[in-house]
Amino acid sequence: LRRRLFRVFLLRGIDGQYTFRTKQGTIRTLAFERGVIQSVSGSTIVVRAVDGTTWTWDLVSSTVVREHGKKTANSALTSGEPVWVGGPVVSGAKDARLIVILPPSAPPAATPAPSASGS
């Protein structure tokens, strides 16, 4: 499952979900979202993507949080932090199995102010 989620992470998509059939014949749905944490409360986080999609994700016992390529604690999740979240959809709820804390976006490049020319 984590390998599939990592492959989706590499696609750089904003948000979505897809359904597939496993080798055992069962049907599974995976969801993912790239955005900013709006809130963290107990066992849930709310993430808002740049397209305005806002999903609530359940933090489960198998949730893995990664920052700078290393595992970190769920307590590292804070509002305003850019993240990528992915996991299965179970009975309509989105289980966050992998959360990657992303580096902050670079500020837009400053454009030089027009120079005043005297004639």
Side-chain angles (χ1 to χ4, degrees):
L1 180 64
R2 285 199 178 105
R3 278 183 266 155
R4 286 183 189 266
L5 288 173
F6 186 69
R7 287 181 192 150
V8 173
F9 171 76
L10 293 175
L11 292 176
R12 310 278 309 153
I14 295 172
D15 59 65
Q17 46 184 51
Y18 67 96
T19 303
F20 63 96
R21 185 179 305 272
T22 66
K23 290 180 183 177
Q24 295 78 24
T26 58
I27 296 176
R28 304 218 35 200
T29 300
L30 292 179
F32 69 94
E33 184 175 25
R34 183 184 308 271
V36 175
I37 296 176
Q38 298 297 296
S39 65
V40 180
S41 61
S43 63
T44 63
I45 63 170
V46 177
V47 176
R48 181 181 174 134
V50 294
D51 67 355
T53 301
T54 302
W55 283 344
T56 300
W57 293 85
D58 294 335
L59 300 174
V60 295
S61 62
S62 56
T63 297
V64 173
V65 179
R66 298 189 71 81
E67 183 174 24
H68 304 296
K70 298 179 183 176
K71 282 187 180 180
T72 188
N74 290 2
S75 59
L77 301 171
T78 58
S79 295
E81 200 157 40
V83 293
W84 182 93
V85 185
V89 178
V90 179
S91 300
K94 293 172 182 66
D95 287 355
R97 296 285 176 88
L98 177 61
I99 301 174
V100 179
I101 298 173
L102 303 171
S105 298
T111 48
S115 60
S117 60
S119 332

